[in-house]
Amino acid sequence: MTSIAVKELCKTYRGAAAPTLKGLSFAFPEGKIVGLLGPNGAGKTTTISILCGLVSADKGDVTIHGLHQDAAHREAIKRIIGIVPQQIALYPQLTAVENLTYFGNLYGLKGPSLLSKIMHYLEVFGLEKSAHKEIHKYSGGMKRRANIIAAILHDPRLVILDEPTAGVDVQSRSMILQFLTEYNRQGASILYTSHLLEEAQSICEEVAIMDEGSLIVQGKPLELIAQLPQCRSLEDVFLHYTGHALRD
Amino acid sequence: MLRLLATIRKEWQLLLRDKTGLILLFIMPVVLITVMALIQDAPFKDYQEVKFDILTVDNDHGRLGRYIREGLASGGQFNIIDSLEGRPVTEAQAKELVNTGKYKISIIIPGGATAAIVSNANRIVNDITKRMGMTVSLPVKQQNISPDVIIYFDPAAKKAFKGAIHQALDNFLTQVETDMLLDRIKMQLRSRDTTIAAANDTLPIRLQAVGLKEHATGSSKQLDVVSNSVQHNVPAWSIFAMFFIVIPIAGNMIREREDGSLLRMKLIPGSYLAILAGKMLFFVGICMLQFYLMMLVGIYILPLLDLPRLVMGHDQGATLLVAAGIGLAATAYGILIGTLFKTPNQALNFGAISIVILSAIGGIWIPLEIMPPVMQAVGHLSPLSWGLDAINDIYLRNGNISFVWKDVGRLVLTGLAMLAIAGRVEKRRMN
């Protein structure tokens, strides 16, 4: 079964000179860690926004775990996906427990079971000692880890992470990647975007490289590298397809 | 329900952590209403409780001078001062002291004023008796001189104040002239018929057959409330402070958008309206808490500062409804500003300045009644003026829900319209 299937997706924002997505199509199987890669402005964030129903596509079709992303299934899809946005989407003035309790409540979770789940994840992410510390007092890595917990409290079958390791230290990154691998092992699908291609190569079973709103290439990292004799890494493959021109 | 309650709790936790926000919402308004009530106390007392010293120079030493002095003193608003350091005040001294602002008013009663009035009354009576075929005549002056009572005002005195004094003195002069005339008529009648004079020494001649008495307009349970500094400033500046909730709400919404928590909320299944309703309920509750805190200050704290005690009317249900209406409109305005603007700085500047403008045109600073007609028409479009009108209806006119439902309706409908606009703007922003 496919986890995510995107077909002929088009999107032009109001007032924009050029379309952001131009017939984007890809599909990822269920139960894998996959990467959606591309330079700045490629359309990754717009794609994620459409996948989770925040933004509507002008044209095309999106299916998440067999459900069409439309008004009828939007709520059901929200229940099966967990989004880790690039921003630290937590209230800085609240403690980790207060933040996670609030977002857990919004998912309909409550009481001792919610609290025990929060404490479990705080322990998994090494934040148990800072559970009652306000988020603005956390380091960058701690914030990123708390940000992930807020997205998985409702046990999603698909977790979408937008650059989850940007700006964090090596230890935090290692912990996050280890957790994602473990979470995937428990059966969840993971879609992950990153500019850290070495990291993507090590963690992703499959990647899709997109640029200027279209899919360039999709496949297993090692197979993509093997297809291009001059390339030794996923980064080389990425630069081969997207070029060396700066994207500002 | 869980989403709604969780949002209320989260907003409460955020507010408790925001010490500046707490000061802005609760301490600043208390200071504001106290300061405004104190500094506007004197202007409100202008013609009510403040006593003015009047320098009086009586060169007449007759009935007119006595009437004017007694009349002004009997009203309780004026202290008649006719001597300084044990010496009678002179005209030149009075003029100088008023010109330098040491006294507000001086009245100079000219010599021979009473004699002139008597002579004039005698002339009228002589004319009447002559036409009636009577021969008795009263003495009159050959020259018809009418001396003027002279008033000096402090150059800084207000026009309305001058008018009130003019009117009062004019009344005294008319009163003296009328009394003199009636005295002369009585005197003539007595000399004509000694029998009548013996039986009715005092003839029942009264000119004021119809009197003037102020009655309250309320039907029952009428309050003896006058619009004083506290009755105006406490509700007016409370409404102003309630609208200042726009600043924390807009800041809160922009921060939620910037830090991504708004995005996370939208990604969670369930209606975002429940979250918005929780936010609205919380801030409307805060507005109402602010309102009643200000009212308590008006009732218990301001009297300690020698200010009148606030009177809240009889219909507390109507007051609660108005406070909720104002809270709803203020909260919705905050949500609209928070949606329209991209940075907290833009929202803060626009929000604060727009509230100051809406309050100025809405009669918070000075009553709408004394504004030019165009500004009055504009002022009635301000939600702050609807709130103040409704509160005045309850506090000063002893009104109930039937008095205020239109204003409350306007506040609620405006609030809902602002929420609808905010919803559309947010939807457009996403696409």
Side-chain angles (χ1 to χ4, degrees), chain B residues 7 29 51 65 86 109 117-118 154 160 166 170 179 196 209 221 236 240 275 369 398 411:
Chain B
T7 304
K51 272 198 151 188
I109 302 158
I117 292 171
V118 169
D154 175 359
H166 266 289
D170 208 33
D179 285 356
I196 295 170
K221 294 194 284 183
F240 178 76
I275 297 172
E369 294 73 38
N398 194 27
L411 287 164

Side-chain angles (χ1 to χ4, degrees), chain B residues 199-409:
Chain B
N200 296 302
D201 192 45
T202 308
L203 286 167
I205 301 173
R206 286 178 64 220
L207 278 188
Q208 205 175 15
V210 180
L212 183 67
K213 192 176 178 186
E214 185 181 338
H215 274 246
T217 52
S219 52
S220 63
K221 294 194 284 183
Q222 178 59 41
L223 300 160
D224 185 21
V225 180
V226 288
S227 180
N228 55 43
S229 173
V230 169
Q231 288 300 136
H232 172 75
N233 282 300
V234 172
W237 293 102
S238 299
I239 293 168
F240 178 76
M242 286 162 84
F243 265 84
F244 252 85
I245 206 157
V246 162
I247 305 297
I249 295 176
N252 175 318
M253 292 200 61
I254 292 170
R255 274 194 302 274
E256 277 182 349
R257 202 164 57 230
E258 281 179 344
D259 66 25
S261 36
L262 177 67
L263 179 75
R264 193 188 289 285
M265 282 185 259
K266 287 182 176 174
L267 291 169
I268 295 174
S271 169
Y272 177 67
L273 277 178
I275 297 172
L276 198 62
K279 196 184 276 287
M280 293 261 337
L281 267 178
F282 175 77
F283 282 108
V284 170
I286 291 292
C287 280
M288 293 173 73
L289 198 64
Q290 274 184 309
F291 179 81
Y292 281 102
L293 179 70
M294 302 304 119
M295 298 306 116
L296 289 176
V297 170
I299 293 169
Y300 297 108
I301 308 293
L302 297 188
L304 301 176
L305 303 172
D306 208 21
L307 288 166
R309 183 190 177 96
L310 179 76
V311 179
M312 284 183 70
H314 285 308
D315 196 333
Q316 295 310 316
T319 306
L320 189 78
L321 195 69
V322 173
I326 297 168
L328 180 89
T331 304
Y333 188 45
I335 289 173
L336 179 63
I337 299 265
T339 309
L340 288 178
F341 291 94
K342 288 179 181 164
T343 69
N345 261 353
Q346 289 173 348
L348 190 137
N349 290 330
F350 181 87
I353 293 168
S354 65
I355 293 161
V356 169
I357 292 170
L358 286 173
S359 68
I361 62 170
I364 301 293
W365 299 38
I366 54 165
L368 276 181
E369 294 73 38
I370 61 170
M371 291 185 189
V374 176
M375 287 312 293
Q376 284 190 32
V378 174
H380 283 299
L381 299 175
S382 165
L384 281 83
S385 100
W386 305 333
L388 187 59
D389 281 351
I391 291 291
N392 282 341
D393 279 344
I394 299 167
Y395 287 12
L396 298 175
R397 298 186 186 94
N398 194 27
N400 52 28
I401 290 176
S402 68
F403 278 63
V404 300
W405 71 268
K406 279 186 185 168
D407 284 322
V408 173

Side-chain angles (χ1 to χ4, degrees), chain A residues 119-131:
Chain A
M119 295 317 289
H120 163 73
Y121 278 127
L122 287 172
E123 202 179 326
V124 167
F125 280 95
L127 295 170
E128 71 277 16
K129 286 181 186 163
S130 307

Side-chain angles (χ1 to χ4, degrees), chain B residues 109-185:
Chain B
I109 302 158
T114 304
I117 292 171
V118 169
S119 174
N120 192 43
N122 285 353
R123 186 173 286 116
I124 294 166
V125 173
N126 284 347
D127 188 49
I128 294 168
T129 51
K130 194 177 169 187
R131 286 164 193 262
M132 288 169 70
M134 294 160 64
T135 53
V136 184
S137 76
L138 297 169
V140 292
K141 284 186 175 182
Q142 290 309 307
Q143 287 181 315
N144 191 9
I145 302 165
S146 22
D148 291 324
V149 172
I150 294 166
I151 318 170
Y152 292 112
F153 282 107
D154 175 359
K158 293 176 198 163
K159 200 175 170 185
F161 175 69
K162 285 181 175 181
I165 298 292
H166 266 289
Q167 181 130 16
L169 286 173
D170 208 33
N171 282 346
F172 296 139
L173 288 173
T174 308
Q175 181 73 41
V176 172
E177 294 197 54
T178 309
D179 285 356
M180 293 277 191
L181 187 61
L182 293 176
D183 276 355
R184 301 291 116 176
I185 292 170

